[in-house]
């Protein structure tokens, strides 16, 4: 039986039906990084010139960010895998609640909006399934750069006092290496008056990608990828034509798809340095992984238990904790997985248990005793990466697994079932009633 791809938006209440137990083969192609593209899009607010971003993944989150920027007066045009963004006519510095609420990454616009307009009104993004997601560090940093920031009725209002509305360079120490705060403050500082130093900055590859774009736009940024980033403010930025890095989390998810199905595959493109901790753990679990300059080849036969502790980059990424747990649910031995980044990112445990996984919880730690086979069952994805974890579990399970929660999955994975089916999986997107 061959599965034909049906356009995702054509199905109401969609779910994935996965016939498990198949070995995969061939190659899985990795799209551009969602968590880089979203912040690079916000940088279009920093210039009147056109910003052209290439390798932008076709995801609902990207569409939502485009709507956010359009609501501010930007022109956003998609041409294949490119986005052309022009912020020459910003009509307002107030971001609409319903757009920020649907995509918390749009809160990052507060930095460039303030730098460009001297003011910004952006609703608090609020929490989500995995945690409260505070923006304390973002606000603290903007205040350190001279902004007057108030939070009333769920709206963060920031304004530069006095005339000229330029932010002032300053020294900022983040209490935690927040990715979003680092990125927000980099975009605020790049047009500030003077030098800004961000200490305890996030070191994620997406931060380095943003620095690369800002430099391509004429910004002066040093130290991205280290705990201390120095930004020398400039008077104006110009447009750029810039390619988004490959999505390391999608690549890691595909490596795990090969591992959980005990397959030999090639994943490409992959920047190995972006996945160091993940590749190390997969090798520790028994996989053979060989980078080949563009992508990586993986061979998985016997999978052994390993322990994981999520950490800020370069530690093990929280975004692959759930997908990796699916693999370890089928490993030989007992693994200890500790989620240190988000306070509520273990909801997939209950769903894996429905599939026969033997997992015991103690606070933010899961003790995962591998079982020979998971069994297919109806399961629900509770956040973007938990949904991916359930798809992986379905690939390995005996029988049929149905995965709901595709509104989460489609935020972070473009054409996931098409890519996996092309590698030998049997996944069908159907209506859930
Ligand atoms: C980014 O979120 C990613 N999203 C997340 O990916 C990722 O999980 C996260 O970084 C960590 O790597 C985007 O880039 C769009 P943080 P962000 O601020 O910036 C605490 C996915 O699945 N914190 O680094 O919101 C916070 O509570 C998504 O693709 C504070 O305490 O993450 C959390 O526990 C999910 N105070 C930790 O830091 C603050 O002021 C990491 O948050 C800010 C954050």
């Amino acid at each position: 039986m061959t599965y034909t791809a049906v356009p995702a938006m054509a199905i109401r209440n969609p779910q994935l039906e996965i016939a498990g137990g198949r070995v995969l083969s061939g190659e899985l192609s990795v799209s551009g990084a969602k968590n880089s593209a979203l912040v690079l899009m916000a940088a279009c607010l920093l210039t009147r010139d056109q910003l052209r971003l290439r390798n932008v993944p076709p995801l609902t989150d990207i569409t939502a960010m485009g709507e956010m920027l359009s609501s501010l007066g930007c022109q956003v045009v998609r041409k294949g895998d490119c986005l052309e963004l022009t912020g020459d006519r910003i009509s307002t510095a107030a971001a609409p609640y319903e757009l920020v609420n649907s995509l918390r990454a749009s809160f990052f616009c507060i930095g460039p909006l303030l730098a460009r307009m001297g003011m910004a009104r952006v609703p608090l993004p609020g929490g989500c399934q995995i945690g409260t997601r505070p923006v304390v560090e973002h606000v603290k940093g903007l205040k350190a750069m001279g902004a007057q920031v108030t939070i009333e009725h769920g709206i963060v209002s920031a304004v530069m006092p006095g005339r000229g509305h330029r932010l002032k360079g300053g020294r900022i120490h983040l209490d935690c290496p927040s990715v979003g705060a680092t990125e927000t403050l980099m975009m605020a500082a790049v047009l500030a008056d003077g030098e800004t130093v961000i200490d305890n900055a996030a070191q994620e590859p997406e931060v380095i990608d943003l620095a690369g774009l800002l430099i391509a736009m004429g910004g002066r940024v040093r130290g991205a990828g280290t705990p201390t980033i120095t930004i020398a403010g400039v008077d104006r930025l110009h447009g750029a034509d810039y390619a988004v890095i490959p999505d390391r989390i999608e690549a890691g998810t595909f490596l795990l798809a090969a591992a959980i199905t005990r397959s030999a595959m090639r994943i490409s493109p992959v920047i190995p340095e972006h996945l160091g901790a993940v590749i190390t753990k997969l090798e520790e679990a028994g996989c053979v992984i060989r980078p080949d300059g563009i992508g990586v080849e993986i061979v998985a036969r016997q999978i052994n238990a390993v322990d994981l502790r999520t950490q800020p980059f370069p530690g093990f990424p929280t975004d692959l904790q759930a997908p990796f747990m699916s693999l370890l649910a089928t490993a030989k031995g007992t693994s200890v997985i500790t989620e240190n980044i988000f306070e509520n990112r273990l909801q997939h445990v209950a769903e894996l248990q429905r599939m026969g996984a033997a997992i015991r919880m103690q606070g933010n730690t899961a003790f995962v005793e591998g079982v020979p086979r998971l069994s297919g069952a109806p399961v629900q994805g509770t956040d973007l990466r938990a949904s991916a974890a359930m798809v992986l579990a379905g690939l390995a399970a005996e029988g049929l697994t149905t995965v709901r929660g595709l509104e989460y999955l489609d935020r972070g994975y473009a054409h996931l079932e098409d890519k996996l089916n092309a590698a030998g999986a049997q996944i069908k997107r159907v209506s859930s009633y």
Side-chain angles (χ1 to χ4, degrees), residues 34-36 38-39 61 103-106 108 128 130-140 174-183 202 204 206 247-249 311-313 317-320 339-343 345 383-386 411-413:
K34 165 182 86 80
N35 289 348
S36 182
L38 288 172
V39 71
D61 270 10
L103 173 67
R104 59 180 325 284
S106 47
F108 300 165
C128 69
I130 61 178
T132 54
R133 314 294 294 271
V135 289
V136 171
E137 298 303 318
H138 313 54
V139 170
K140 195 174 77 172
L174 299 180
D175 286 349
C176 67
S178 160
V179 174
T182 302
E183 294 167 340
E204 272 69 5
E206 293 74 27
D247 193 315
R248 62 192 170 100
I249 304 302
Q311 298 292 342
F313 195 88
T318 174
D319 292 351
L320 285 172
E339 171 55 54
N340 295 310
I341 303 296
F342 288 107
E343 62 266 34
R345 203 172 201 176
D383 77 86
L384 163 52
R385 307 305 173 179
R411 297 183 54 177
Y413 294 91

Side-chain angles (χ1 to χ4, degrees), residues 10 39 71 141 145 298 406 424:
V39 71
S71 75
M145 296 172 74
I298 176 170
L406 305 196

Side-chain angles (χ1 to χ4, degrees), residues 71-266:
S71 75
L72 298 173
C74 298
Q75 290 168 310
V76 182
V77 179
R78 178 175 273 276
K79 291 181 178 173
D81 81 341
C82 290
L83 278 187
E84 292 178 351
L85 305 105
T86 311
D88 57 343
R89 285 192 301 276
I90 305 297
S91 52
T92 172
Y97 168 74
E98 64 281 355
L99 290 176
V100 176
N101 190 43
S102 70
L103 173 67
R104 59 180 325 284
S106 47
F107 184 77
F108 300 165
C109 293
I110 194 168
L113 260 182
L114 189 54
R116 172 78 177 272
M117 308 287 282
M119 60 173 292
R121 282 172 55 80
V122 182
L124 275 171
C128 69
Q129 296 279 357
I130 61 178
T132 54
R133 314 294 294 271
V135 289
V136 171
E137 298 303 318
H138 313 54
V139 170
K140 195 174 77 172
L142 293 175
K143 285 181 175 174
M145 296 172 74
Q148 287 175 354
V149 185
T150 55
I151 301 178
E152 287 171 347
H153 312 300
I155 304 277
V156 181
S157 298
V159 64
M160 286 311 298
R163 301 172 57 78
H165 74 242
R166 273 191 90 182
L167 288 159
K168 294 175 181 36
R171 187 158 201 111
I172 300 165
H173 181 91
L174 299 180
D175 286 349
C176 67
S178 160
V179 174
T182 302
E183 294 167 340
T184 299
L185 297 171
M186 286 167 71
M187 292 191 286
V190 73
L191 288 176
D193 187 8
E195 182 175 85
T196 300
V197 177
I198 305 173
D199 280 324
N200 196 27
Q203 303 175 61
E204 272 69 5
E206 293 74 27
V207 170
I208 301 173
D209 212 22
L210 173 61
L213 172 64
L214 294 176
I215 292 166
M217 294 169 71
R220 294 169 59 197
V221 183
R222 283 182 294 114
T226 77
T228 301
I229 301 178
T230 302
I231 302 110
V234 295
D235 291 337
R236 67 179 296 278
L237 294 178
H238 50 72
D241 184 327
Y242 191 83
V244 178
I245 54 173
D247 193 315
R248 62 192 170 100
I249 304 302
E250 186 188 33
T253 307
F254 289 166
L255 286 168
L256 287 161
I260 203 167
T261 55
R262 309 305 190 261
S263 305
M265 300 190 74
R266 184 167 183 270

